[in-house]
Amino acid sequence: MAFFGGQSKAAPQVDPQPADMREEQHSDLPELPEPRDNTVIAKDITLTGRLSGEGVVQIEGTVEGEVCLKGYVIVTDTGRVKGPVEADVIRVAGNVEGSVNCRDHLQLERTGTIQGDVTTVSFVIENGGCLNGRTTMVKADGSVEKTPRHGPTVRAADTEENTD
């Protein structure tokens, strides 16, 4: 019985689309890209606090605090970090004020400045890059490279002998 005592009507029968028709409609849609693990701190953004995680972080703005990543940190020429930075690979074209701990490769570009101590396995400083701090080179396993503390070795052939 229908509302207010009227006769109930049967619902109209709708033929479902065949499965191959539904698949064709969806095949025209573009596939969504795979999710990326990239983060960009834009030019006019200031992030205050600890930035941690895994992936790639490109800093175009300002980060005030610790940056600790498993992955890549890219400080662009407009980027600024006020705090320690730790990552597998670090590229600095902007300004970092704090210690830098790089587990693999650090590149200081010609427009970049690091004001703090650096610990890394591999370090490239382009002509014009500025480092104000100490550098500690470590092996890939994290142990410190041992360098001899004595002066340079002078061979007899390198000295001038006066035989007058």
Side-chain angles (χ1 to χ4, degrees):
M1 188 148 148
F3 230 153
F4 300 113
Q7 294 287 342
S8 62
K9 296 183 182 178
Q13 292 291 329
V14 177
D15 291 332
Q17 289 181 327
D20 55 343
M21 280 291 278
R22 280 180 268 149
E23 191 173 304
E24 283 180 26
Q25 289 176 347
H26 296 298
S27 67
D28 293 340
L29 296 175
E31 290 187 30
L32 294 174
E34 289 295 318
R36 292 186 180 174
D37 294 336
N38 295 354
T39 300
V40 176
I41 309 298
K43 190 175 179 180
D44 295 328
I45 299 294
T46 298
L47 176 72
T48 303
R50 185 171 195 266
L51 179 61
S52 63
E54 189 172 334
V56 178
V57 173
Q58 181 169 312
I59 301 170
E60 298 174 1
T62 301
V63 174
E64 295 176 348
E66 181 181 0
V67 178
C68 184
L69 288 176
K70 185 171 187 170
Y72 294 77
V73 172
I74 302 165
V75 181
T76 65
D77 59 345
T78 61
R80 182 180 187 113
V81 177
K82 295 178 181 179
V85 178
E86 180 178 343
D88 296 324
V89 177
I90 302 171
R91 196 174 104 210
V92 178
N95 191 346
V96 174
E97 297 175 25
S99 63
V100 176
N101 186 358
C102 186
R103 292 181 289 272
D104 189 1
H105 179 77
L106 172 63
Q107 181 170 344
L108 180 57
E109 296 186 3
R110 63 181 179 82
T111 58
T113 300
I114 297 175
Q115 297 177 19
D117 295 341
V118 171
T119 303
T120 185
V121 174
S122 172
F123 194 9
V124 173
I125 302 175
E126 291 182 358
N127 192 18
C130 183
L131 171 64
N132 293 317
R134 289 182 275 165
T135 303
T136 302
M137 300 300 290
V138 295
K139 295 181 181 179
D141 64 4
S143 63
V144 176
E145 294 279 345
K146 297 290 183 189
T147 56
R149 293 282 177 184
H150 54 80
T153 303
V154 178
R155 294 178 287 154
D158 294 338
T159 62
E160 281 188 38
E161 290 184 30
N162 289 335
T163 54
D164 292 324

